[in-house]
Amino acid sequence: MNDLIEDIRKALGVYDGEKCEELAKKALEIKINPIEVIGALRKDLEELGKKFSEGEVFLIDLMGAADAMNSALTVLKPAIEEMGGAEKRGKIVIATVEGDIHDIGKSIVGSMMVSAGFEVMDLGRDVPNEKIIETLKKEKPDLVGVSAMLTTTKEKQKELVELLKKEGLREGVKVMVGGAPVTEEWKSKIGADGYGEDAVDAVNVAKKLLSL
Amino acid sequence: MRPKDRVKNTVSGNAVDRTPVVPILGAYSSKLTGISVREGLEDANKQYEAQKRAIETFGYDGSFTWMDLTAEAEALGLKRSRPENDLPAILEHPLKTKEDLNKLNIPRIEDTRLQVFVETCEKLSDNLGKNHFISSYVVGPYTLVGLLMDVEKLLMSCLKDQNFVHESLEFVVSYLKEYIDRLSGTGVDAITVLEPTASGSLISPKIFREFVSAPLRDTNRYISQKNMNPILHVCGNTNPILKDMAETETMALSIGSKVDLNNAKGLIPIIGNIDPSTTMIEKKPEEVKYLSRKCVEDMKGEEFILSTGCDIALGTPEENIKALVNAVR
């Protein structure tokens, strides 16, 4: 049965989501523990993330692997829930700020967060802070991540932190910022909790912030 | 020496009296003549007047049209935003299947907003081209397919639906050639191909070789055949693909600030790479001058044109642009 896990890992390695999903179903049929499968895949993804940080693999590789992983998760996650062992890694709301239509970085962060086990709500791009606040009130996530790709739009991240304070919501949620013009310095300046330099870093920082 | 020859000689590997300087200065010039960015992108006369004023104000060696990544996609029928004082963006990405590809038709260039750029090129060439190096921009094949499909869809298709990507690239190259035909009659010295989506920040060298190289080479070769110099601009981190970029039959590489100039030595002429954000917007003029001189010093003995790594933002202090230009004097 370990061979089957190896095959799923191989499918992940060539970014074949359909095969991942198909093999994951097979694994469940022969009663392989879905937690074991997820664990193996996640380890591969983390390995890939390390290589990405070292410049050995590229964003497109991360995207492909996360996509394949998430296909497998569509099968494996419900199975875990059925077993009564849903993993609680926290809920995250992500968005690209208002006036900014750059979507891809934020989408990949979302995809990587899902792979890492978080429940992710992606509000899309060009999202007004008011809408983010409204969502936070309703969904009560553990963390909110906002992306800005332009020097002009990163101001919206600052505005969000201020708005959260004004609404008395700041204590209840961690705030992460990211995007090309965003830096660790900017994060500290505006009083956010975390800065993700890239998709891999973002996942690691989120885990740290939520003490996982 | 005429500014034009300074650039031309550098690009073709001949001697010059000093390092040429050509910042990527497009929509910024709207501020100099008091027009909106929107007006400049829709009216050739206004764009030309603004670019002329920029040359008069700063005195650099060549003039390019405004960098607008949406024009070619819009001419294929895609909707774009029309902000008053910002560059536009493509709002829809209709290419999802092969059937969608069959529905796309190459437009008559003169019926589209590309005509604004054709006419701007004519005016720049007629009035500044005697002394200055003039270039137009054309969006690169891979980036154009990314606009048509959405970048995320393009990247996933490169992994899963390769034929669809190749067929789409083939279509856009045939379209770009028609636009290049029109530009070749305007008298511009060069056409700079913009391929930001092929950046190492997004794709791997493997994907670059599989999908970007051949269509780019085809496009560059066509530009050369029409007696213009092809130049290639890719932003972001292109360290891992510099050599691949240099092997696309282009004459010079315009590179972003994330590239280590040491990696760019010994290839082909290099244009770059002052950071348009942290340096040009945030630093003081003396620091801009220092960093610019450092670039020139680092590239001593190489064919090098001092420039910014990407388009100069509207909020850039005028003094910083002067500092960049004066750094070579």
Side-chain angles (χ1 to χ4, degrees), chain A residues 32-69:
Chain A
I32 296 179
N33 186 343
I35 294 175
E36 199 181 323
V37 182
I38 289 186
L41 296 183
R42 206 163 272 157
K43 220 167 146 193
D44 286 349
L45 208 62
E46 276 166 19
E47 207 49 51
L48 203 67
K50 265 185 217 152
K51 284 190 186 161
F52 171 77
S53 306
E54 286 157 9
E56 273 177 58
V57 304
F58 298 85
L59 197 65
I60 191 166
D61 303 301
L62 281 188
M63 267 179 75
D67 181 74
M69 171 86 188

Side-chain angles (χ1 to χ4, degrees), chain A residues 117-186:
Chain A
F118 292 105
E119 188 187 331
V120 176
M121 254 189 95
D122 187 343
L123 301 182
R125 59 189 193 182
D126 192 12
V127 183
N129 278 333
E130 294 70 31
K131 195 183 164 196
I132 297 177
I133 296 276
E134 208 177 286
T135 310
L136 296 189
K137 281 182 182 163
K138 214 164 78 195
E139 302 290 334
K140 301 201 169 33
D142 304 286
L143 189 149
V144 59
V146 273
S147 163
M149 286 305 280
L150 307 168
T151 23
T152 46
T153 54
K154 77 176 185 189
E155 290 297 324
K156 292 279 170 191
Q157 297 177 329
K158 186 175 162 202
E159 199 185 289
L160 178 69
V161 176
E162 284 160 7
L163 263 174
L164 283 169
K165 281 185 194 152
K166 217 168 94 189
E167 297 270 341
L169 297 167
R170 183 67 187 89
E171 297 303 312
V173 68
K174 301 283 183 197
V175 180
M176 274 187 70
V177 289
V182 179
T183 57
E184 184 72 35
E185 235 179 319
W186 173 250

Side-chain angles (χ1 to χ4, degrees), chain A residues 14-18 52 58-61 63-65 67 71 99 101 103-104 107-108 125 150-152 154 180-181, chain B residues 86 89-93 142 150-152 155-156 158-160 200-205 207 240 258 277 281-282 313:
Chain A
V14 294
Y15 320 133
D16 190 341
E18 277 151 41
F52 171 77
F58 298 85
L59 197 65
I60 191 166
D61 303 301
M63 267 179 75
D67 181 74
S71 295
I101 54 113
D103 218 12
I104 185 158
S107 297
I108 292 164
R125 59 189 193 182
L150 307 168
T151 23
T152 46
K154 77 176 185 189
Chain B
D86 207 345
I90 289 295
L91 299 172
E92 54 173 13
H93 312 281
Y142 193 75
D150 185 77
V151 175
E152 211 174 328
L155 299 189
M156 288 312 290
C158 287
L159 300 174
K160 292 178 163 182
S201 302
L202 292 172
I203 66 170
S204 57
I207 296 287
K258 282 185 179 160
S277 171
I281 298 180
E282 290 166 22

Side-chain angles (χ1 to χ4, degrees), chain A residues 73-90:
Chain A
L73 283 180
T74 58
V75 178
L76 299 170
K77 253 190 154 171
I80 295 177
E81 274 156 27
E82 235 170 72
M83 289 160 54
E87 25 168 33
K88 274 271 171 252
R89 283 209 130 157

